[in-house]
Amino acid sequence: METVVGIEDNDDGRFEDSGVDRSSSALSSPKQISNPIVYKLVRVEGDGKLVPATDDEVMEVGDFLEYENSEMHVVTNTGQSLECISIERSSSGKLRLECLEEADLGKLNAKLQILQKVKEEEKHRISCGSPVHSHENIDSQCSADKFPVMDGKVQSETPCQEIPSIASSFNYTHSNQSGSIDQCSRPSEGVIESGSSASAVYSNLKSDISMSDGEICLDKLSIRELHELFKVTFGRETTVKDKQWLKRRIAMSLTNSCDVSATTFIIKDNKIVRKFEEDSSGNMNAGSLISSENMTEEDVNFKDSSAVDACGIDDNQVVSETRSENGLEYENYQTGQRAAKRIRRPTKRYIEELSENESREHNPRLSISNKTVGFGHVSPTSNVRPARNAFSEARTYSTRLDSLGGSNVQIPCVSRVRRSRPRKDIASLMKFHPTGMGEAEKLSNKLLEHSSDAGSDFSDKVLKSRMPAKFHQPSSSEPVKEQCPVICPIELRQELRPKRADPSGHTSDDNNIVTVPTAKGGMRRKHHRAWTLVEVIKLVEGVSRCGAGRWSEIKRLSFASYSYRTSVDLKDKWRNLLKASFALAPADEGINSRKHGTAPIPEKILLRVRELAEMNSQVPPNYSSSQLASGGGSVHGDRSGYL
DNA sequence: CTTAGGG
DNA sequence: CCCTAAG
């Protein structure tokens, strides 16, 4: 698939065209939306110039891209979702990667136009003192499709399905009408209701959306209003009651940009411009205030749910959206929930246990929205990463060729993407608030199967490993944290890297080890770190090379990049392997007959293990020499003679 | 510190 | 995985 990149310039807050012609896009041809997205990686210079990303830069985010790629197509098909990534590297030379849907800008502007139109009409109506309809039908089913579209451009033949956001934009203003075409034909009708308490909602909405102040502040909208807006935007109703979610979605739709804070926009000269840091503090306050003020009963449940950072890295939602198109609103909602959960604020207890200093920054949305990027620096629970988790939940199986002992073996690879994900923030959090750890874990629970702790792990064995590994994989698989117990933004990238990407072996998954303080004062590893096939293979190779028993050496040679896996671990694993290899019916010679549920370790490997074991006479007398020595020949290039 | 074994 | 006793 091709690639696009939407670039966005932070400095003037304006959308920058990334070379893709957007002007012609959105409004007219719905096709464009379904067209493949094209991405391009560029860097935004300080002066706002776009510079093609260098290879290095690309590399830097390569993992990220890899990650996205697989999902991208899904998104593409929806025709309406957008996938965004935003990576910023430094304050000065920003490396930004964004994927914007081609039609986004156009769409956006179209929407604005519509809005403006509406607004004008409203004004007109108001000035005329036209009566206002009650909002009796606020929740009416008024389907967007039924309404005539005012804007000619939009009207054209935009399939509402495809671009509901546009088609319904207008509708939005009067969607609350009972759905009668008549009324609808009078666009401004019903929406405007200045002063009427009955339709306060709408008047509110109106004012909020109005551009007089040149600003759309989703924060000010109530749930209901958000619903409306949502409907307008996406052409369908939603039952989701999570405000944050709604806001985010709407905002995303509006800007189609990822690092939208879902909060505030400024409209300038018919262009939507984002509001940036300048007013961050203000926004923050406003945001928090509003969010609590406007909270309706329905919201209560989500009160503490913080929105996923607006960065739109939430693929689930995007995907789910497509689904809900089929009426699976529930699912949509669920996903939304999940999204919220991911960054969901810790439960009360957790919060309580947090120190005050933390509490303020605790709303991820806020913090993020104010830090255009602030990846790892935001609140502990907000993370961009988890978004990927759902995705990674699906394991991808594949086979790869691995050479073991000289022969090629087809090994099934389960890539548990994102099996563990060291969240620096969490790490630091746990470190500073050990008591809160339990909660923190609950949070990351399924998502972060192995939440790892960088902070406390420097006290662990990792320290002991004075391996040169550090030089092998500087930023990825090393316990760098030792140096910076707090937060190492540098390492963030690492998290993007899918696990075991490289069969060659030097792919350690993450380096972080979760350790928990033990009663005796020592540190204890918390989770089992499943041995991956790669590791096993390396181990076997190591043993074949150095001989069983020289674990520290093997560790040094083959596991330098695996900061966890101590030599003892290797030994233990080997022991298990031995057991396994011999457990496997000596009669069948490994051809098959493996107990179900047994580790997916390929026979060949076990065979090899056995072989090695034999060579080292670690073999139980019964199974000695004979069968293996001969039969095993098929498996290896015979490195015998090592030990 | 590294190994070997038991738990 | 952890713990510990032995080189």
Side-chain angles (χ1 to χ4, degrees):
Chain A
M1 101 158 60
E2 301 104 304
T3 344
V4 165
V5 167
I7 293 305
E8 175 177 41
D9 187 347
N10 243 349
D11 296 331
D12 62 2
R14 278 232 197 148
F15 286 115
E16 206 76 20
D17 212 322
S18 56
V20 182
D21 182 0
R22 289 214 193 90
S23 54
S24 62
S25 46
L27 295 183
S28 40
S29 73
K31 270 184 188 173
Q32 295 208 12
I33 295 186
S34 51
N35 281 341
I37 303 177
V38 180
Y39 296 93
K40 188 174 110 196
L41 195 60
V42 296
R43 185 157 59 92
V44 181
E45 291 286 358
D47 58 359
K49 268 173 139 186
L50 301 183
V51 181
T54 68
D55 283 351
D56 285 351
E57 284 162 341
V58 175
M59 294 275 285
E60 266 191 280
V61 293
D63 293 316
F64 211 124
L65 284 174
E66 272 180 40
Y67 242 122
E68 302 303 318
N69 278 342
S70 45
E71 318 159 29
M72 212 50 106
H73 66 281
V74 180
V75 171
T76 310
N77 295 335
T78 74
Q80 145 156 156
S81 45
L82 55 149
E83 182 74 8
C84 312
I85 326 169
S86 169
I87 297 177
E88 190 164 82
R89 203 174 42 173
S90 68
S91 47
S92 52
K94 289 163 240 152
L95 174 58
R96 234 147 197 279
L97 165 62
E98 292 205 357
C99 316
L100 295 182
E101 194 168 309
E102 223 176 306
D104 290 351
L105 199 51
K107 242 159 125 185
L108 185 53
N109 284 329
K111 229 180 262 181
L112 277 178
Q113 285 186 13
I114 296 169
L115 283 174
Q116 282 202 330
K117 223 168 195 169
V118 171
K119 193 189 133 202
E120 282 171 20
E121 301 214 6
E122 283 178 0
K123 272 185 189 167
H124 178 259
R125 264 179 35 71
I126 291 176
S127 63
C128 294
S130 59
V132 183
H133 294 278
S134 68
H135 57 300
E136 66 239 338
N137 287 313
I138 277 181
D139 289 326
S140 72
Q141 312 305 318
C142 186
S143 79
D145 328 60
K146 282 184 184 172
F147 290 95
V149 181
M150 291 293 286
D151 191 313
K153 294 180 212 157
V154 175
Q155 202 168 20
S156 46
E157 29 265 341
T158 308
C160 294
Q161 306 273 32
E162 290 291 311
I163 318 181
S165 49
I166 297 177
S168 52
S169 283
F170 176 72
N171 174 34
Y172 166 54
T173 55
H174 29 249
S175 57
N176 54 325
Q177 289 316 299
S178 49
S180 103
I181 302 288
D182 283 354
Q183 288 175 336
C184 287
S185 63
R186 292 171 57 194
S188 39
E189 206 121 305
V191 186
I192 319 50
E193 220 279 288
S194 53
S196 160
S197 58
S199 43
V201 184
Y202 285 97
S203 56
N204 266 345
L205 184 49
K206 180 199 68 185
S207 61
D208 281 327
I209 287 198
S210 82
M211 270 153 247
S212 50
D213 54 351
E215 183 175 333
I216 296 178
C217 185
L218 296 175
D219 273 327
K220 292 177 182 163
L221 304 184
S222 73
I223 273 269
R224 192 173 267 163
E225 292 164 332
L226 285 172
H227 275 181
E228 286 301 315
L229 193 41
F230 183 95
K231 186 158 72 176
V232 172
T233 305
F234 297 103
R236 61 193 168 79
E237 307 245 344
T238 181
T239 57
V240 179
K241 297 197 174 81
D242 188 340
K243 243 177 140 176
Q244 303 286 13
W245 186 85
L246 288 169
K247 279 193 283 189
R248 203 156 59 87
R249 286 209 66 75
I250 295 169
M252 280 171 63
S253 161
L254 278 177
T255 64
N256 276 330
S257 158
C258 53
D259 65 332
V260 161
S261 67
T263 309
T264 310
F265 305 88
I266 296 179
I267 298 167
K268 223 186 264 176
D269 300 333
N270 273 346
K271 286 198 176 181
I272 284 193
V273 173
R274 251 184 290 133
K275 220 174 179 180
F276 283 104
E277 288 79 351
E278 310 94 53
D279 34 37
S280 56
S281 59
N283 276 343
M284 278 180 74
N285 296 334
S288 46
L289 277 178
I290 288 166
S291 52
S292 51
E293 280 177 8
N294 280 8
M295 223 45 117
T296 70
E297 318 83 337
E298 313 159 313
D299 296 326
V300 173
N301 291 334
F302 299 93
K303 200 152 194 175
D304 59 350
S305 80
S306 40
V308 180
D309 75 289
C311 238
I313 303 213
D314 192 336
D315 340 305
N316 289 326
Q317 298 209 357
V318 175
V319 175
S320 76
E321 166 136 318
T322 3
R323 291 219 197 118
S324 46
E325 221 53 46
N326 302 325
L328 299 180
E329 192 66 46
Y330 177 67
E331 219 174 313
N332 192 0
Y333 175 65
Q334 283 233 321
T335 340
Q337 278 260 50
R338 249 196 294 160
K341 252 182 198 162
R342 277 201 290 273
I343 36 55
R344 182 165 206 151
R345 249 181 128 190
T347 54
K348 313 161 224 153
R349 191 178 131 211
Y350 177 49
I351 296 174
E352 286 167 7
E353 284 165 357
L354 291 177
S355 61
E356 307 69 31
N357 62 14
E358 194 89 45
S359 62
R360 207 156 0 110
E361 258 222 313
H362 226 301
N363 188 331
R365 190 193 96 240
L366 295 177
S367 35
I368 290 199
S369 65
N370 296 315
K371 291 182 182 180
T372 313
V373 193
F375 259 31
H377 297 273
V378 281
S379 92
T381 41
S382 83
N383 45 36
V384 181
R385 211 62 206 103
R388 220 142 268 352
N389 279 313
F391 181 68
S392 50
E393 266 166 16
R395 296 184 175 186
T396 48
Y397 288 82
S398 60
T399 59
R400 74 183 151 72
L401 227 49
D402 206 298
S403 78
L404 176 65
S407 63
N408 290 331
V409 192
Q410 274 274 335
I411 309 175
C413 285
V414 304
S415 57
R416 313 188 194 89
V417 199
R418 208 51 276 128
R419 188 170 165 154
S420 58
R421 202 295 236 6
R423 220 29 262 204
K424 281 314 177 222
D425 344 0
I426 286 185
S428 62
L429 184 95
M430 291 206 278
K431 186 188 175 188
F432 298 122
H433 308 280
T435 40
M437 193 151 76
E439 291 297 318
E441 274 187 4
K442 260 189 230 161
L443 284 177
S444 36
N445 208 342
K446 314 251 160 157
L447 297 174
L448 311 181
E449 200 169 308
H450 288 179
S451 65
S452 2
D453 170 355
S456 52
D457 116 345
F458 58 77
S459 56
D460 198 45
K461 311 183 178 180
V462 188
L463 239 190
K464 294 183 195 168
S465 71
R466 66 296 184 206
M467 298 290 89
K470 208 167 236 163
F471 306 116
H472 298 350
Q473 304 204 344
S475 72
S476 55
S477 51
E478 251 345 76
V480 188
K481 350 56 196 239
E482 303 155 31
Q483 278 16 307
C484 46
V486 196
I487 292 175
C488 282
I490 314 150
E491 285 210 358
L492 291 173
R493 262 195 326 260
Q494 155 208 346
E495 303 180 358
L496 308 179
R497 147 141 50 90
K499 185 175 181 176
R500 317 164 84 219
D502 172 14
S504 71
H506 261 272
T507 13
S508 55
D509 355 18
D510 31 296
N511 35 350
N512 300 283
I513 305 175
V514 184
T515 61
V516 312
T518 183
K520 296 156 197 162
M523 280 308 221
R524 171 179 193 154
R525 259 182 279 189
K526 189 160 192 193
H527 296 294
H528 274 300
R529 201 178 216 104
W531 275 72
T532 67
L533 208 49
V534 183
E535 288 173 312
V536 170
I537 291 168
K538 286 166 83 74
L539 174 59
V540 172
E541 280 176 349
V543 169
S544 77
R545 173 168 34 220
C546 310
R550 305 172 59 166
W551 307 117
S552 63
E553 188 154 329
I554 296 174
K555 152 79 170 157
R556 186 173 12 231
L557 292 175
S558 308
F559 288 75
S561 47
Y562 298 72
S563 49
Y564 46 95
R565 302 300 183 218
T566 66
S567 56
V568 175
D569 290 330
L570 300 190
K571 178 215 63 180
D572 285 339
K573 183 55 180 177
W574 181 254
R575 182 169 46 178
N576 289 335
L577 280 179
L578 274 186
K579 215 193 314 181
S581 80
F582 285 108
L584 119 99
D588 308 351
E589 213 44 70
I591 292 177
N592 53 7
S593 79
R594 175 179 285 84
K595 269 82 178 175
H596 298 311
T598 320
I601 301 177
E603 264 103 300
K604 299 227 176 187
I605 292 183
L606 290 181
L607 265 181
R608 173 82 177 139
V609 169
R610 201 137 128 198
E611 216 174 286
L612 290 169
E614 289 245 319
M615 299 180 357
N616 300 323
S617 60
Q618 299 180 336
V619 121
N622 8 346
Y623 306 141
S624 44
S625 51
S626 56
Q627 351 174 311
L628 304 173
S630 51
S634 57
V635 174
H636 63 324
D638 202 23
R639 285 193 175 107
S640 46
Y642 271 95
L643 253 194

